[in-house]
Each structure stands twice: as C-alpha cells, then as structure tokens.
Amino acid sequence: MICQNCGKALAPDARFCPACGTVAGGPGADSRPSAYHVVGDVMQAVVIPLGAGQEIQAEPGALLYMAGDVEMDSSMKGGLWGGLKRMVGGESLFMTRFKSRSQGQVAFAAPHPGKLKQLDLAGGASWLCQRDSFLCATAGIEMGIAFTKKFGAGLFGGEGFILQRIGGNGTAFIHGGGNFIEFDLVAGQTLRVDTGCIVAFEETVHYDIQFVGGFKNALFGGEGLFLATLSGPGKCVLQTLPFSRLAGRIMGLTREGTGGVAGVGGTLRDIGNIFGGSE
C-alpha cells in the first residue's frame, strides 16, 4: 500500500502515513481527510486528520499523539481576560493550538474513564457544560463562562455557580465519566437528575434544583437533599459515573470517606465504621 500524498510505502494495516500523517486509503480506513473518528471504549480518544492550513485547539495535556507536518503552539487565546475566564470555568489559562502545514493528524485522549461527545455548533448556538469537560475544538469555537441564575442552583446543584459555555461555529469535543445518556426535551418537559451527573445541555434548557422531599428520603436515600432539574426545550447529556462519585468510592475503601454514599446516610455509614472498628 502506497501513501496517496507522499508516495511512501505503508504497512498493509496502516491507518495513516507515519511520514506525512495522511489517512491511509486501504480497506476499512476512513478516506475522508477531514473526518473525525473516536476510538476506544473505556478510555476514548478522538483522532483528527488535518489538511494544509487547518488547525485544532485543545486543553493542555490532552494530546495523545501527532503525526505528519503539525506544529504545536501554546498561547493565551483571547488575551488575559479570555484566559482568566477559562480558568474560572475549570480550564487552563493557556490553550494549545495544533496547525498542519501540509498534511497531518492529531489525537486527544480523555483524562479519566468515560466517553467523548461531539458538539456541532453553528448559527450562534451554544452549550453549557460542567467545569473541566472541554477536550478540543476547531478554530471557530469560543470558550466562555456562564453563571447560574439562582443562588440555590449554584450552591446545591452539583455544578457550582459557574458553567462552561461553548459557542461559535465549528466542532467541539467534550468528555464525561462512564457512559452518556442523551435526552431531547420538548417545551415543558422536566428531567430530575442526581447532582453531578449533568455533562452538558443546550443554553435553551432551564437549569435549577429541587428539594428531594420527605425526611426518610433526605436522611437515608443516599442521594443528598437536592436533585438538579432540566426543563426543555433543548438537548442534554448525562453521565453515568461522575468523577466525584468515582473518587468517593475510592476514598470510602480507605475508611476515610463515605464510600460514595451522599448525604447524611454516608455520614452515618462512616460513624458505624468508626465505632465498629472495621478495617
């Protein structure tokens, strides 16, 4: 098999040319030079072919590999104010830009077990995302911040007072823990979600919190005192394993946490472990 761009001989199972980064045209390979494709299952990565002059921006530290004639440059996109807004939204002060001078390919990996989601934006549409969910995006995507409109939603909603806003024109990739469950809510339809399980939702979706209700539910239900509510119209994406829950389970195994059980129930579990003397 021969590379159609530079003429270099390729291995029969090669997915791209190691010299120039062009996607191989063999059986089963993606022959579209601008097509993104996600690989993996538990720890996913997105592979992005770049044509001459094309570029991609990513969160520092997300790079898996780059091949071909690709240049990397870190800069404070949007100046100091733009960098500070990204920091408030849970991202880095600097953004890393990858630009191809002829043909190349870059890949970015999620930082913890979970899934990647592609967001195609156009016409001024925007999504609100949990902090630290952004992975990479094309050059036309802008990162910003959005404030929760209600004090209770910011204090008890699990996402904090500040959310990431992803807008502009282009394609962005976000990541979350576990698997994704997606909903397309119609006007007036409401979804109640465990706090922390929200990954992203369109800006048309109304975000708030709701008291669980009932003394036994609040004390022993293990879900905390509040649930997040999402009301349509618009799309939303949920994650089955928030990183905070994963960390809570790990800490619980060391006797120093609640074992991932939220609310007063987790506290009572810790007290039982202390007086029970379990190891």
Side-chain angles (χ1 to χ4, degrees), residues 10-89:
L10 304 177
D13 58 347
R15 301 186 64 177
F16 65 92
C17 176
C20 68
T22 301
V23 177
D30 191 343
S31 60
R32 297 170 297 172
S34 60
Y36 316 122
H37 58 280
V38 175
V39 297
D41 184 19
V42 178
M43 291 290 293
Q44 290 191 324
V46 56
V47 181
I48 304 174
L50 296 176
Q54 292 181 333
E55 66 179 64
I56 200 84
Q57 55 183 331
E59 174 71 5
L63 177 68
L64 177 61
Y65 71 81
M66 58 182 178
D69 194 9
V70 178
E71 293 181 337
M72 181 175 67
D73 178 59
S74 296
S75 61
M76 194 182 300
K77 184 178 180 180
L80 179 60
W81 177 240
L84 291 175
K85 287 195 295 183
R86 286 192 298 273
M87 287 188 64
V88 172

Side-chain angles (χ1 to χ4, degrees), residues 7-263:
K8 182 178 177 62
L10 304 177
D13 58 347
R15 301 186 64 177
F16 65 92
C17 176
C20 68
T22 301
V23 177
D30 191 343
S31 60
R32 297 170 297 172
S34 60
Y36 316 122
H37 58 280
V38 175
V39 297
D41 184 19
V42 178
M43 291 290 293
Q44 290 191 324
V46 56
V47 181
I48 304 174
L50 296 176
Q54 292 181 333
E55 66 179 64
I56 200 84
Q57 55 183 331
E59 174 71 5
L63 177 68
L64 177 61
Y65 71 81
M66 58 182 178
D69 194 9
V70 178
E71 293 181 337
M72 181 175 67
D73 178 59
S74 296
S75 61
M76 194 182 300
K77 184 178 180 180
L80 179 60
W81 177 240
L84 291 175
K85 287 195 295 183
R86 286 192 298 273
M87 287 188 64
V88 172
E91 301 297 338
S92 299
L93 185 66
F94 287 81
M95 294 285 286
T96 305
R97 181 172 59 92
F98 300 85
K99 186 174 183 179
S100 177
R101 291 187 295 184
S102 57
Q103 293 287 334
Q105 189 178 73
V106 292
F108 305 98
H112 55 80
K115 297 294 183 181
L116 299 181
K117 168 69 175 176
Q118 178 177 330
L119 302 179
D120 295 312
L121 302 174
S126 60
W127 284 70
L128 301 183
C129 308
Q130 69 171 357
R131 298 180 61 184
D132 202 31
S133 62
F134 172 75
L135 184 68
C136 62
T138 56
I141 294 296
E142 297 292 335
M143 298 291 301
I145 59 175
F147 295 92
T148 55
K149 298 179 180 179
K150 294 186 177 181
F151 178 79
L155 191 61
F156 303 109
E159 307 299 331
F161 289 95
I162 298 174
L163 300 171
Q164 287 183 337
R165 177 185 279 115
I166 300 179
N169 295 286
T171 299
F173 285 88
I174 59 175
H175 64 85
N179 291 308
F180 282 160
I181 302 177
E182 301 182 26
F183 295 88
D184 191 353
L185 304 176
V186 299
Q189 185 178 8
T190 298
L191 190 67
R192 290 182 292 179
V193 186
D194 183 68
T195 57
C197 288
I198 300 173
V199 179
F201 52 90
E202 290 183 310
E203 200 162 10
T204 56
V205 175
H206 177 71
Y207 170 63
D208 205 346
I209 58 104
Q210 182 179 6
F211 181 65
V212 170
F215 176 77
K216 290 189 295 182
N217 291 335
L219 190 60
F220 303 108
E223 306 300 335
L225 299 178
F226 297 90
L227 292 175
T229 62
L230 298 173
S231 302
K235 299 177 181 179
C236 61
V237 181
L238 309 182
Q239 58 187 348
T240 60
L241 183 62
F243 183 75
S244 59
R245 183 179 295 177
L246 175 62
R249 297 290 184 183
I250 296 173
M251 291 179 62
L253 296 177
T254 66
R255 286 191 56 203
E256 297 176 359
T258 64
V261 179

